[in-house]
Amino acid sequence: MTTLDEFTIQQLRLYPQATGELSGLLRGIGLAAKMVSNLVNKAAIADILGAEGSVNIQGENVQKLDVLANNTFIHVLRNSIYCAGMVSEENEDIIVFDDAKNNQSKYVVLMDPLDGSANIDVNMPIGTIFSIYRRVSELGKPCTKEDFLQKGDNQFAAGYVLYGSSTIFVYGTKRHSVNGFTLDNSVGEFYLSHPQMKIPAEGKSYAFDYRYYHSVDKPVRDFLDECNASENGSDGRYANKNAGCMVADMHRILLSGGIFLYPARKEKPKGKLRLMYECNPFAFLTELCGGGATDGRQRIMEIVPQYVHERSPVFIGSSDMVDKLFQYINTSETVIKNVY
Ligand code: P6P
């Protein structure tokens, strides 16, 4: 049984020039994830369910656990020596860890500390998503906004934590594979449980919220109709499974195949999901696992960001299914009304 810490050190040994900073950063994220997992598991009896009372920069009602998770990741990363600063979904501005040690760090982190907050009070799955970049600014000085405004192809590592029936930590690095680790609460360690994850080229499910069916563009509706088209009177070709949490839907899709769709729509012409800390990390992991990720016009990771909280339409998952959707969108006679 290999722990997360042992695994990151094994990876370190593969690259003689490695300094151990990435391993240290991943250990820190893993520690914060264990703290958040503990909070999530006791939320209902520790009076930390429900709304905190404020509205975040995304215009969403902040849950108590959103604040606690955000503060936990900021606290742990600020007190490590492996992160020069971070962007969080909960904070408008970049968070600079301006101290002598962290200013020397070559990494910055962007994250959604708690994804799927609407699921919290009904004990449905929620998650954390993170993306790691190497700085472009001068080491020894505070990190800058430019360190965070890099396209997804520049990611050095990315991952997520799923707080579900078990707590699973999944990450991948640029030169390596995607691996999943399951938390053993009795020991307080993540153990390797999903080595070398690969996404099937085709799956039997798709994640889409049908309340938006009439708001999305016709090519997307045509694709959804094909997903539902029954063959020789049997049930539809694919099952629609939507957990209301990208982390939960994407974990299922990475393991079993399928496609996740959050298109642009009339009310949200750039979609809802955030490019830098939802779309890009999952695009990174999905492509590493052999799948695809597009905004309907290009690969997600080719998008050059203008704003750390910008949104993007996203279609991500099994390669054959993403390709098929791409064909619908790019051979459609109808003018694409939404901004893809
Ligand atoms: P909607 C959760 O708030 C999230 O960011 C994703 O995890 C999820 O897939 C999506 O938004 C759900 O959005 O509009 O269906 O509530």
Side-chain angles (χ1 to χ4, degrees):
M1 294 282 278
T2 304
T3 69
L4 173 62
D5 294 359
E6 289 170 332
F7 185 86
T8 59
I9 291 169
Q10 286 170 8
Q11 296 302 303
L12 174 65
R13 294 179 190 278
L14 298 176
Y15 305 101
Q17 75 283 8
T19 62
E21 278 190 75
L22 180 65
S23 302
L25 176 53
L26 289 165
R27 276 199 305 279
I29 296 173
L31 171 61
K34 286 186 276 192
M35 294 172 172
V36 171
S37 179
N38 178 50
L39 290 170
V40 168
N41 291 337
K42 70 182 183 185
I45 50 180
D47 189 26
I48 51 178
L49 288 179
E52 175 258 355
S54 64
V55 176
N56 68 11
I57 52 148
Q58 319 288 346
E60 297 163 341
N61 291 322
V62 176
Q63 302 300 302
K64 290 176 186 172
L65 269 178
D66 283 323
V67 175
L68 291 169
N70 193 42
N71 292 345
T72 299
F73 279 101
I74 293 172
H75 171 80
V76 170
L77 292 179
R78 185 190 300 278
N79 289 286
S80 81
I81 54 172
Y82 305 111
C83 184
M86 65 183 278
V87 158
S88 166
E89 183 203 26
E90 300 296 331
N91 300 72
E92 173 64 31
D93 298 320
I94 68 171
I95 303 165
V96 181
F97 299 153
D98 184 4
D99 65 63
K101 272 293 181 186
N102 278 330
N103 285 345
Q104 289 292 344
S105 170
K106 58 190 176 191
Y107 295 115
V108 292
V109 174
L110 297 96
M111 73 171 8
D112 182 356
L114 207 61
D115 173 67
S117 305
N119 283 352
I120 293 172
D121 288 3
V122 291
N123 206 33
M124 291 291 286
I126 47 183
T128 295
I129 315 168
F130 62 89
S131 178
I132 298 172
Y133 288 83
R134 298 193 63 160
R135 291 173 63 175
V136 296
S137 60
E138 183 182 345
L139 295 190
K141 293 184 177 175
C143 63
T144 65
K145 187 156 284 192
E146 287 65 34
D147 291 319
F148 299 95
L149 287 175
Q150 300 185 56
K151 63 182 180 177
D153 273 330
N154 291 6
Q155 290 174 99
F156 197 78
Y160 61 88
V161 185
L162 174 57
Y163 311 103
S165 50
S166 63
T167 295
I168 289 185
F169 183 106
V170 175
Y171 86 94
T173 58
K174 201 169 187 72
R175 295 176 295 210
H176 215 265
S177 58
V178 178
N179 294 275
F181 303 80
T182 298
L183 180 61
D184 179 339
N185 284 301
S186 63
V187 179
E189 287 290 353
F190 285 104
Y191 285 96
L192 182 63
S193 54
H194 297 73
Q196 309 276 330
M197 289 167 61
K198 290 295 176 199
I199 183 172
E202 166 87 20
K204 296 305 284 180
S205 75
Y206 63 101
F208 175 73
D209 189 330
Y210 263 93
R211 61 180 152 161
Y212 306 132
Y213 177 81
H214 295 292
S215 305
V216 301
D217 282 313
K218 185 176 183 312
V220 178
R221 294 202 304 276
D222 291 346
F223 173 80
L224 292 168
D225 292 346
E226 180 179 332
C227 289
N228 268 319
S230 65
E231 285 177 326
N232 45 48
S234 64
D235 293 342
R237 292 184 60 206
Y238 301 108
N240 179 27
K241 296 182 178 179
N242 176 16
C245 170
M246 185 181 195
V247 173
D249 287 321
M250 282 307 303
H251 184 66
R252 180 188 63 248
I253 287 167
L254 287 174
L255 294 184
S256 310
I259 186 169
F260 176 94
L261 304 94
Y262 206 109
R265 62 179 194 264
K266 296 183 187 74
E267 306 78 21
K268 291 195 183 288
K270 291 252 329 177
K272 172 190 178 184
L273 300 187
R274 273 65 69 165
L275 172 65
M276 298 307 291
Y277 41 81
E278 289 176 320
C279 302
N280 268 331
F282 274 113
F284 181 86
L285 295 168
T286 303
E287 289 196 6
L288 265 180
C289 290
T294 176
D295 67 351
R297 290 196 182 286
Q298 61 198 311
R299 289 173 56 249
I300 287 281
M301 293 198 286
E302 291 169 350
I303 301 172
V304 179
Q306 305 304 314
Y307 169 50
V308 291
H309 297 295
E310 77 180 64
R311 301 173 191 268
S312 172
V314 59
F315 309 100
I316 183 170
S318 293
S319 54
D320 292 358
M321 299 175 82
V322 172
D323 289 349
K324 181 184 286 286
L325 176 70
F326 206 72
Q327 287 162 22
Y328 270 103
I329 291 175
N330 289 285
T331 52
S332 159
E333 299 75 42
T334 56
V335 174
I336 297 285
K337 292 191 296 299
N338 290 315
V339 173
Y340 279 131

